[in-house]
Structure formats: C-alpha cells, structure tokens
Amino acid sequence: PIKILCHFGVVTLVLAFFKDSIPQRQNTEQVRSFQFTEEDVLWVGRAVLPIANSLISMSRVIFSGDPSMTLKVFPVLLFGAKYGHLFTVWRLLATGFFGCFTLPRLYSCYSSHIHEKGRQLVQFTAEITF
C-alpha cells in the first residue's frame, strides 16, 4: 500500500505543479476550503476529525504545486514508490517494538558517553562561531 500511495502522490504532485506552472488567463487565486457537514461529523466521530483536518491541511501545503515544496517532497515520494514494498506493517511494528526496548537500554548504558560527546560538540561549535 505504501508503494501505491507514493505513486499516487507523485502523480498528484506532478499534476499540481504543471497546473500552477501554466499561466492562467485570470490572475485570481482560488481559495479552497473544506467543510464537514453535520452528517459527516456524526459519521466520522469525534476522535477522527482532528486527524482528518490536519491531514487535509498538510496535503494542501504539500501538493500545492509550489516549486520549492515540489523539490522537497518529490524525492521522498520517488523513494517510497521504488522501495515502498519493503515497508510492511509487520516490519514497522517489529522495528518499533525492538526500538522501544533497545533504545532506552542503550541510552541508560551509554548516557555518560553521550553527554560527554554532546559537551565536546557544543564546545567545538562555540569555538568555530567565535
């Protein structure tokens, strides 16, 4: 599913970019607004609406056709389209489960070493800037 979504995202991004790149006869910018009706609110439920609203606003920004945003998003979508079949739900869950138990343990074992390297990095950047 990730591969298909990335292919769909690439197509949407290309279409939005070309639509905004071709000069329009009218220079008025259309404002897109999304409104949910009362029936939609009852159907979706209170827990899903904040997530849906944030996804809609993020997708409008990502797929706006702006050249700088296109250059930022396009490589990620191409990578997902090419290697999306490797990211299965099972692998993501296994990686998350492994990380939840391994990363805190590694941090507790090596926290003094991590803090020392952090102090050295702060001193190094302070010496370079001043």
Side-chain angles (χ1 to χ4, degrees):
I2 293 175
K3 187 174 184 175
I4 294 169
L5 288 174
C6 287
H7 277 292
F8 179 71
V10 167
V11 170
T12 305
L13 189 66
V14 167
L15 290 176
F17 179 74
F18 282 125
K19 179 189 159 284
D20 288 345
S21 296
I22 297 172
Q24 303 288 327
R25 290 184 182 174
Q26 300 173 357
N27 290 336
T28 60
E29 185 175 326
Q30 296 178 355
V31 177
R32 300 175 187 144
S33 64
F34 296 95
Q35 292 183 348
F36 292 108
T37 63
E38 189 171 298
E39 296 167 4
D40 293 331
V41 172
L42 293 174
W43 182 73
V44 173
R46 294 178 193 233
V48 179
L49 278 178
I51 297 169
N53 287 331
S54 65
L55 287 175
I56 289 170
S57 64
M58 282 177 24
S59 67
R60 282 197 308 178
V61 171
I62 290 173
F63 297 110
S64 66
D66 181 39
S68 65
M69 185 57 75
T70 300
L71 290 174
K72 292 176 189 173
V73 174
F74 195 68
V76 174
L77 290 175
L78 281 180
F79 180 81
K82 181 133 178 109
Y83 300 108
H85 65 280
L86 298 175
F87 299 109
T88 62
V89 175
W90 176 249
R91 286 182 182 169
L92 291 175
L93 288 174
T95 304
F97 182 78
F98 181 74
C100 285
F101 293 104
T102 306
L103 294 177
R105 178 68 179 160
L106 288 174
Y107 180 76
S108 67
C109 290
Y110 297 106
S111 63
S112 61
H113 185 69
I114 292 171
H115 288 292
E116 182 60 33
K117 289 292 182 185
R119 281 191 214 105
Q120 290 175 359
L121 182 65
V122 168
Q123 288 175 350
F124 179 73
T125 54
E127 290 173 2
I128 290 176
T129 57
F130 295 115

